[in-house]
Amino acid sequence: MSHEPDRSAVLDELRAVFGADEVLAGDASPRHLKDWSTASGGTPLAILRPRSTDGLARMLAICNAHGQAVVPQGGLTGLVGGAVPGEGQVVVSLERMNAIEEIDLGSGTVTVQAGAPLQAVQEACHEAGALLAIDLGARGSCQIGGNVSTNAGGNRVIRYGNTRDSVLGLEAVLADGTVLPMMNRMVKNNAGVDLKHLFIGSEGVLGIVTRIVLKLHPLPRGTSTALVALADFDAALSFLRHAQQSLSGQVSAFEIMWREYLDVAVATNRLRRPFAADYPVYVLTDMHCGQPETDARRFETMLEQAIEAGWVLDAAVAQSMADAEALWAIRDGIAEVLREQAPTLNFDVSVPVGRIGECVARMRANLERGWPQLQALFFGHVGDGNVHVVVCKVPQDADSLHAIEEAVYGVMRDYGGSVSAEHGIGVLKRDWLAYSRTPAEIALMRTLKAALDPRGILNPGKML
C-alpha cells in the first residue's frame, strides 16, 4: 500500500453500509486472532461477516478504495499463519456463507459456499449417495474455501488427488470487488485459460473464493482397512507397489508412521496399541470397495502375499467400522499431539516418493546431531511424497528455530523437494519459498499479485 489508510473512515463506512451485525469491532471475537500455527498477529480493525458474494464484493470495494488490508479466514485450522491478521487489518470471515447449495448426482457435482465445513459437506454427499474425496484430519473445523485456497491434500490424495483435482469451478472476488463467476460444472472445458487455478492454492493473496463446484465420486459400498508393521521405508515402498498392482490402483490411503510418531500418538490420545511388539515403521492403508465380500478377500490376499514376500512383518486388519476408526484414530491424533508437545516446530515437505527413506534418515541425523535432547516425529502420505516432521518442545529463540528449519529444509532442497506439500506458505514459510521456487517463478507470482491486487490489500505479508 502506498499510504496508511484512515482506519476510522474505513470502519465508519463499513458500519454505515452493513451495520454492526456484519461489522464487529476488532476485539469482539478473540478466536479470529490465531490459527493452529505458532504465528502471532495483532488486533484487527474489524471482523467482517458477509452473508453473500455481493456483500463481500461491496466490502472489498470499500477496503480497496481506502487501501485497507484484508485477511480472509476459513476454519482457522492452518499451520503456517496464512489466516492470522496483523495489527489494524480487517478480517473477512466466511463462516456465514456456509450453504450446501446443490448436490447433482446426475452430473456428479456438489455446489457449496466457501464457509461450509468439510465434514458437513462430506456427510451431506454421503447421505445423498456420493463420495466427496477431499478428506483431512481437521474435517470437523476446516472450511471448503480454506481447503481450496490452500489446495489441501489429506488422506486420499493417492487415489483422488489434491483438492485442486476435485474442483470443477469456483467463484472468486477480486480486491476491487470484481466478481469472477467461474462456476464450471463440466469435466471438459477448454474455452480459454482455466482461471480457477489462479485461486486454488494461492492462499487468498489474489482473490477470495466464495463458491465452489466440486466433483463427486461413486460412494464405496465398503472399505477394507489394515495397519501393517514393516522393517523400514524400503519395505513400505515395495508394499505400496505391490498393493497398487494387486488392487488395480484401488488403494485409497497409504499413511506411513515411523515408530516414534505411533508411540506418542497412542500415548497422548490414550489409544489401544495395535501390536504387542514394537516395529520401526507402520503403514495404515485402505481400499474403497465396490463388492465388499469379494474385494475384502482380494485385500486380505494382497496382505498375505506381502507377508510371504517379507515386506510386512505383522498386520492388524479391521473387522468392523469401529476397528477401522480405532486404527485411523492413531493417524488422525496429530492435533492432540501438537497440543501436548507444544511448543512444536512443524514441517510439511515433499520429495520424490522413492527418495523419502533416505531423506528422512538425513533429516533425523541432522536433528539428532544438533539437538539430541529434542524428539522428532515423522509421518506422512507415502503415495504422494509428503512427509510431516514435528519437532517437539523446541526452544523459542530465533537462532535455534532457524537452525532447526535449515536442518530440515536444507535436506529437502538437496532432493529437489518442496517446503510445502499441502499446508501452504503463509507467513511461517515465506522466507523459505526460494528453496523450492526459482527467482523467475517468484517474480511471476508477484507480477500476478500486482495485476490482480495492485494496492496490495489481500492478505499482505503472506506467501510472497
Side-chain angles (χ1 to χ4, degrees), residues 126-146:
H126 187 278
E127 187 175 342
L131 171 71
L132 176 65
I134 303 168
D135 186 48
L136 48 152
R139 65 184 69 84
S141 302
C142 65
Q143 296 175 6
I144 293 291

Side-chain angles (χ1 to χ4, degrees), residues 5 32 63 67 80 121 130 132 144 149 158 212 253 260 280 282 298 303 308 350 352 392 401 407 447 454 459:
H32 290 285
C63 290
V80 294
V121 182
L132 176 65
I144 293 291
S149 296
I158 187 173
I212 307 103
E260 295 86 353
Y282 303 87
R298 287 174 59 214
L303 290 174
E308 291 172 3
S350 60
C392 305
L401 293 173
T447 298
N459 225 3

Side-chain angles (χ1 to χ4, degrees), residues 6-16 23-25 45-46:
D6 182 341
R7 293 195 172 97
S8 62
V10 176
L11 194 55
D12 288 345
E13 187 170 352
L14 287 169
R15 282 175 166 165
V23 182
L24 303 180
L45 173 68

Side-chain angles (χ1 to χ4, degrees), residues 346-364:
N346 306 304
F347 299 90
D348 156 46
V349 300
S350 60
V351 295
V353 173
R355 311 299 296 277
I356 289 176
E358 56 192 274
C359 182
V360 166
R362 281 187 56 189
M363 290 176 180
R364 187 193 300 276

Side-chain angles (χ1 to χ4, degrees), residues 23-282:
V23 182
L24 303 180
D27 60 353
S29 185
R31 67 187 176 87
H32 290 285
L33 302 183
K34 280 189 63 63
D35 60 9
W36 286 4
S37 76
T38 58
S40 58
T43 302
L45 173 68
I47 299 165
L48 308 183
R49 301 188 298 167
R51 297 181 180 275
S52 67
T53 298
D54 179 65
L56 173 60
R58 288 186 292 151
M59 289 174 176
L60 288 183
I62 292 171
C63 290
N64 190 64
H66 289 272
Q68 170 63 51
V70 173
V71 180
Q73 288 187 348
L76 291 167
T77 61
L79 292 172
V80 294
V84 174
E87 189 70 26
Q89 295 179 346
V90 164
V91 165
V92 173
S93 171
L94 279 297
E95 61 189 347
R96 286 180 164 177
M97 296 177 60
N98 58 15
I100 301 172
E101 296 181 356
E102 179 187 37
I103 298 176
D104 183 347
L105 296 181
S107 298
T109 63
V110 57
T111 303
V112 300
Q113 292 181 336
L118 172 59
Q119 185 170 340
V121 182
Q122 287 177 325
E123 292 174 352
C125 293
H126 187 278
E127 187 175 342
L131 171 71
L132 176 65
I134 303 168
D135 186 48
L136 48 152
R139 65 184 69 84
S141 302
C142 65
Q143 296 175 6
I144 293 291
N147 300 151
V148 171
S149 296
T150 59
N151 188 31
N155 303 324
R156 306 293 178 188
V157 173
I158 187 173
R159 183 167 181 182
Y160 300 105
N162 292 301
T163 295
R164 182 185 304 278
D165 299 290
S166 291
V167 178
L168 291 175
L170 59 79
E171 176 185 80
V173 183
L174 300 182
D176 65 358
T178 299
V179 178
L180 299 178
M182 305 173 291
M183 297 290 283
N184 170 68
R185 287 172 167 79
M186 293 82 69
V187 173
K188 288 187 172 182
N189 184 349
N190 281 340
V193 177
D194 194 350
L195 296 175
K196 70 173 180 283
H197 291 294
L198 287 175
F199 303 96
I200 303 172
S202 64
E203 302 180 44
V205 304
L206 302 181
I208 299 180
V209 175
T210 49
R211 297 167 66 227
I212 307 103
V213 181
L214 296 164
K215 183 192 307 181
L216 297 178
H217 298 269
L219 190 66
R221 293 178 176 173
T223 303
S224 293
T225 304
L227 181 71
V228 304
L230 309 101
D232 52 31
F233 177 79
D234 287 342
L237 190 57
S238 296
F239 176 51
L240 172 61
R241 292 170 181 156
H242 165 69
Q244 288 282 53
Q245 185 175 37
S246 298
L247 303 177
S248 302
Q250 289 181 274
V251 176
S252 52
F254 201 88
E255 302 293 294
I256 191 166
M257 296 168 279
W258 277 261
R259 179 181 56 80
E260 295 86 353
Y261 172 79
L262 184 136
D263 288 347
V264 171
V266 166
T268 301
N269 293 279
R270 296 177 175 83
L271 303 174
R272 182 174 60 85
R273 292 194 65 84
F275 303 109
D278 288 330
Y279 297 96
V281 174
Y282 303 87

